[in-house]
DNA sequence: CGCCCAGTTGAATTGGCTCAATAGTCGTGG
DNA sequence: CCACGACTATTGAGCCAATTCAACTGGGCG
């Protein structure tokens, strides 16, 4: 319940609060509390009213939607990420359920306090705008991937994205269960297996959660990653030295316990549509 | 080029500017200009830097994404809607192309001025937040529909949504070409035809662009619309008397030339992810 | 009158899903 | 320490849905 100074620092490092003055930061985090949840805990059900902004500090969280007994994973978040900011700002019901995939440490910030602060302080408001805009663009990327690519292509691009996140090694470790990955990519677990099998023709070897790439060129030729769909690598020219924006996308930055000030500190934020 | 007072009023009626003081409104719209485009004009290509916020005053605009010679329609906007607000706020490149489907009147607002205003005035900033949050949630709904429903179900729900927008008549008129609708719903034109054919079992009759519903109950039982995916009808309890939010979704409100102050004035705004 | 294009229809193919069975893994408890 | 049960992952077979290719229809416009 009491928040450790180290955790406070991690929160301050979030894009949302990075530029905030001490007073604004105090206002926005008033009444905040920290909580630990075991794996598999449902934090929020689809349709619930949303009273808090959640900040994932450790562990991982799955966001999912459902309809007619079907479920689909819309995103898997890793620390440090915020989620359901949009619902908080609109005082609306949640559109997705949230549940922990691992034991997780989660900070809960009062929605009321955040809305009040955003209404009063234009700088903080602008940080919220950027966070939301980034989230929005993340989902747009997701829709594009879903509608424009086939299952194997989505998997190939996912692997390349993970590869880019994991120091571009020739060998990566899948950060989630394959069943979760399958749902995230919009296919069944069986189909994911077959998709992996198809990728063996492109030098992708699977050993449990360890994936190795033996012909990265061939894989890239198949995947054809695009800066307008995938969030990684080439990244066309940004206007200014915009630091961290546009995060969300299918999976968020990892964050052990150490300190990588520049590359860490990403969000689960997502952007609006048009 | 000079903006007519009637147009100015329509812009003021947008959620984005509704609460703005005269001074703030003047700042935000400084350097704005109005332009007419014929049908089929590309306003913006995927990947282009974005310098303006666009406001569609009449006509209609299609937002589309592409990859590997494939294209897909992500949204069709109708007046009055704003678009690419997220890219404007982040000074980022466009993730979608925008082209007119009909001759259109479009207002272009300086991105620079909007960012400056949002940074200086917390109330305007909050309006941007709400717009972005609504857009975000709109795309989330789109992803859910795409991943959780089959083609026929998406069509059925689309028809019900249109029906709700068109005074719940038993007969509606499709607002776009069927080829555009097919792409919007994530299928091929051929498949859309077959989906319509399947719906004839549920009392849906097609005569060109005119669709009539003879057994609305049966159609609803098939479609199973949800307040957490579709934007229309039942709409669970909102906390306060929140006016217009969460617009975007696949297609925006229509707006002839008359005046329906409460139901009109919708956005092309979309919300962020978490 | 005839062209062009949107829309529809049909047949063949592909891809994804469902169902079912098997193999490996982990954790629990005897 | 090992045996068991629960669960994840994989693989095969059959099925349903969607895409592709192709031909045909009908309406609008020159």
């Amino acid at each position: 319940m009491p928040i450790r100074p180290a955790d406070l620092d991690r929160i301050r490092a979030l894009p949302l609060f990075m530029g905030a003055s001490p007073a604004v930061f105090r206002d926005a985090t008033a009444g905040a509390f920290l909580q630990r949840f075991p794996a598999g805990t449902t934090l929020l059900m689809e349709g619930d009213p949303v009273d808090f902004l959640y900040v994932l500090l450790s562990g991982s969280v799955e966001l999912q939607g459902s309809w007619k007994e079907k479920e689909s994973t819309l995103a898997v978040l890793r620390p440090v990420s915020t989620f359901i900011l949009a619902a908080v700002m609109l005082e609306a019901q949640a559109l997705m359920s949230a549940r922990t995939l691992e034991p997780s440490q989660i900070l809960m910030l009062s929605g009321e306090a955040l809305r009040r602060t955003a209404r009063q302080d234009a700088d903080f408001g602008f940080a919220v705008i950027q966070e939301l805009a980034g989230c929005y663009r993340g989902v747009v990327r997701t829709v594009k991937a879903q509608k424009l690519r086939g299952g194997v292509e989505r998997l190939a691009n996912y692997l390349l994205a993970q590869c880019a996140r994991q120091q571009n090694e020739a060998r990566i470790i899948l950060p989630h269960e394959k069943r979760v990955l399958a749902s995230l990519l919009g296919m069944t677990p069986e189909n994911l297996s077959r998709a992996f099998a198809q990728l063996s023709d492109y030098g992708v070897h699977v050993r449990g959660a360890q994936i190795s790439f033996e012909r990265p060129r061939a894989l890239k030729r198949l995947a054809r990653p695009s800066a307008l769909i995938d969030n990684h690598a080439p990244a066309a020219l940004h206007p200014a030295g915009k630091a961290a924006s546009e995060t969300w996308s299918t999976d968020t930055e990892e964050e052990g316990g150490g300190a990588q000030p520049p590359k860490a500190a990403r969000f689960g934020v997502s952007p609006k549509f048009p």
Side-chain angles (χ1 to χ4, degrees), chain A residues 23-90:
Chain A
V24 165
F25 184 67
R26 185 173 35 74
D27 288 351
T29 59
F33 54 96
L34 190 60
Q35 212 160 338
R36 293 178 166 281
F37 298 97
T41 309
T42 295
L43 304 169
L44 205 61
M45 285 278 288
E46 232 177 323
D48 282 354
V50 174
D51 300 316
F52 301 97
L53 176 67
Y54 293 73
V55 183
L56 176 65
L57 293 178
S58 74
S60 70
V61 167
E62 175 189 30
L63 300 179
Q64 59 180 8
S66 67
W67 183 72
K68 246 189 178 187
E69 12 253 85
K70 284 192 238 290
E71 293 191 343
S72 184
T73 301
L74 300 183
V76 178
L77 307 175
R78 310 215 130 252
V80 180
S81 299
T82 64
F83 53 103
I84 49 162
L85 180 57
V88 165
M89 287 297 149
L90 292 176

Side-chain angles (χ1 to χ4, degrees), chain A residues 112-133:
Chain A
E112 174 62 27
L114 288 169
R115 284 187 297 269
R116 198 168 358 95
T117 308
R119 259 193 239 270
Q120 285 168 359
D121 185 79
D123 285 329
F124 178 67
F126 200 77
V128 173
I129 287 172
Q130 292 190 110
E131 179 87 359
L132 282 171

Side-chain angles (χ1 to χ4, degrees), chain A residues 4 14 19 32 41 73 96 115 156 164 184 200 210 265 268:
Chain A
R4 297 179 310 177
L14 284 169
T41 309
T73 301
M96 317 182 264
R115 284 187 297 269
L184 185 64
S200 69
Q210 303 188 15

